[in-house]
Amino acid sequence: MIGVMAPKRDAVERIATSFQDTDFWPSTVVQSDEGTIHFSSDTRVCVCTVHSGKGLEFRVVHIAAADTFRRFKAEQWRMAYTAITRAKTRLMVHYSDSVPSFFEAALAAGAEEDTDDDPSLDDLFH
């Protein structure tokens, strides 16, 4: 399963809306307004907040709006750690503004180690 996580609920809603017009939508589960996530045997993509992703594990994690971790001040490191550690094999981080310095340093270190080719969709779902 692929996890698409964001620090804030509004980003989750925007991501879910953008998924509706894709081939992934029928196998996508989105965190509900109550914060619950209902998985089925057909679920291939989960879109949720970082907080709702606690305890979950995904083959690949996409962290969206990573620049918004900055808004959490004291908890930004813990939230980023939670999001990052949900990934089993691959982590993709998406942001449009600067990320907190600890996050930027970790991304730079990870980029130096990343020499693998990008996986195919079959690799991600098997």
Side-chain angles (χ1 to χ4, degrees):
M1 187 176 350
I2 294 175
V4 181
M5 306 172 81
K8 305 285 276 176
R9 165 69 78 175
D10 60 334
V12 169
E13 292 169 2
R14 286 193 313 272
I15 294 164
T17 299
S18 69
F19 264 76
Q20 290 176 357
D21 295 330
T22 70
D23 293 338
F24 290 109
W25 185 246
S27 60
T28 299
V29 64
V30 179
Q31 175 184 341
S32 72
D33 290 336
E34 296 84 37
T36 56
I37 304 170
H38 300 284
F39 295 99
S40 75
S41 59
D42 296 331
T43 301
R44 298 288 182 254
V45 178
C46 174
V47 181
C48 64
T49 61
V50 172
H51 182 75
S52 289
K54 287 182 181 178
L56 300 176
E57 187 174 72
F58 304 100
R59 181 168 305 278
V60 174
V61 169
H62 289 267
I63 301 174
D67 45 319
T68 61
F69 277 106
R70 202 177 284 292
R71 296 181 190 154
F72 292 95
K73 303 210 188 308
E75 293 205 25
Q76 66 182 350
W77 187 91
R78 194 173 354 177
M79 286 189 64
Y81 178 84
T82 297
I84 290 167
T85 57
R86 302 305 92 205
K88 288 170 59 174
T89 60
R90 179 74 87 175
L91 174 68
M92 307 294 283
V93 181
H94 309 274
Y95 53 95
S96 59
D97 201 357
S98 64
V99 293
S101 59
F102 70 88
F103 211 145
E104 190 172 336
L107 293 173
E112 292 172 3
E113 296 175 13
D114 188 14
T115 58
D116 296 337
D117 293 329
D118 288 336
S120 69
L121 286 178
D122 287 338
D123 292 337
L124 296 176
F125 288 117
H126 290 100

